[in-house]
Amino acid sequence: MRIVIIEFMSLDGVVQAPGGPQEDTDGGFAHGGWSAPFFDPEVVGGAFDDAMSGAEALLFGRRTWQTMASAWPERAGDPFADRMNAIPKYVVSRTLGDDELTWNNTTRIPGDEAVAHIRKLRETDGGDLVVMGSPTLARTLLSEGLVDELRLTVMPVMLGGGKSIFPDDGGLRTLELVSTVTSAAGVNVCVYRTAG
C-alpha cells in the first residue's frame, strides 16, 4: 500500500483545526475553522474526492479519529459519507480502548507499536492508506520515511502558529511536484511524491 497524506494547510504550514472552532484548541489555538472561506466543491472538494478514489483504508491519530467518528456516522445516506463509514480505518492511540472503537470498521494500532505496524501495512499489496489531518502521526510518518505522497491543499491565509506536519529534525527530504491546481479563491492543491 502507498501511504498518502492529505492536509488542509495555511501558507505558514499550519494544519491545526481547519474544520471548526472547537476542533483542536491546543496551545490556545483560536483560528479553528479557518479553511471554510476558501472551500469550493469543484477544486478543493474535487481534490479530496480524488485522494479518496484510490483509498483502500484510512489511518488516523486519536484526536482526528475521534472528531471524524463523531461526525460521519450521522451523515449516512450521502455517498461520500457512506464511503467514509464503510472503508477500513486504523487509529493510532495509546489511550483508546477497543471498546471505544464505535466507528464502523475501525482497528486500533497501539501507539508504542505504530511505526512497526504501519511499516507492515505499507509493505502489503493494495490501494492507498490515506492519512487525514493527524499532524503528530503525519510528522512521525514523514520522519520515518514512510510517506509516498503528500496532497496539500494550501490556502491563502497565515495563522501565525499552530500544529504542523513537517519534521523539525534538520533532515533533508526531497519531493517531486506532480501536479498543481489553483482555485478561484487562490487555493493551491499540490500533489508531491517522494523523490528517488
Side-chain angles (χ1 to χ4, degrees):
M1 298 176 87
R2 293 184 332 140
I3 294 181
V4 176
I5 293 176
I6 59 175
E7 297 285 348
F8 290 157
M9 181 176 290
S10 69
L11 281 176
D12 52 350
V14 176
V15 299
Q16 188 169 352
Q22 301 307 312
E23 184 178 346
D24 181 357
T25 58
D26 280 2
F29 190 76
H31 303 299
W34 55 267
S35 69
F38 307 104
F39 188 89
D40 72 87
E42 186 177 319
V43 175
V44 177
F48 200 81
D49 287 344
D50 185 54
M52 285 297 294
S53 68
E56 185 169 304
L58 303 177
L59 175 62
F60 297 103
R62 178 197 49 82
R63 183 189 300 258
T64 302
W65 179 87
Q66 287 177 312
T67 299
M68 300 285 222
S70 69
W72 287 106
E74 65 189 39
R75 298 178 186 171
D78 169 84
F80 188 81
D82 290 347
R83 170 111 166 97
M84 290 291 288
N85 289 324
I87 194 168
K89 293 166 276 292
Y90 296 92
V91 57
V92 174
S93 177
R94 288 184 173 90
T95 58
L96 282 176
D98 289 338
D99 60 324
E100 297 175 87
L101 304 180
T102 55
W103 194 14
N104 191 35
N105 275 342
T106 297
T107 302
R108 185 177 63 85
I109 298 173
D112 56 348
E113 301 171 16
V115 171
H117 193 96
I118 293 166
R119 200 176 301 276
K120 286 180 185 174
L121 282 172
R122 187 173 180 240
E123 292 169 359
T124 63
D125 292 331
D128 295 340
L129 181 59
V130 174
V131 179
M132 298 177 190
S134 309
T136 303
L137 175 61
R139 188 171 39 259
T140 298
L141 296 174
L142 285 165
S143 294
E144 294 289 333
L146 293 174
V147 177
D148 298 288
E149 186 170 284
L150 279 171
R151 291 177 172 244
L152 305 178
T153 302
V154 183
M155 303 193 175
V157 61
M158 291 186 293
L159 300 171
K163 293 179 182 176
S164 169
I165 64 166
F166 300 121
D168 59 1
D169 57 8
L172 176 67
R173 296 165 179 89
T174 304
L175 303 172
E176 172 189 1
L177 179 63
V178 176
S179 67
T180 303
V181 177
T182 304
S183 78
V187 175
N188 287 312
V189 178
C190 304
V191 178
Y192 295 93
R193 292 197 185 126
T194 307

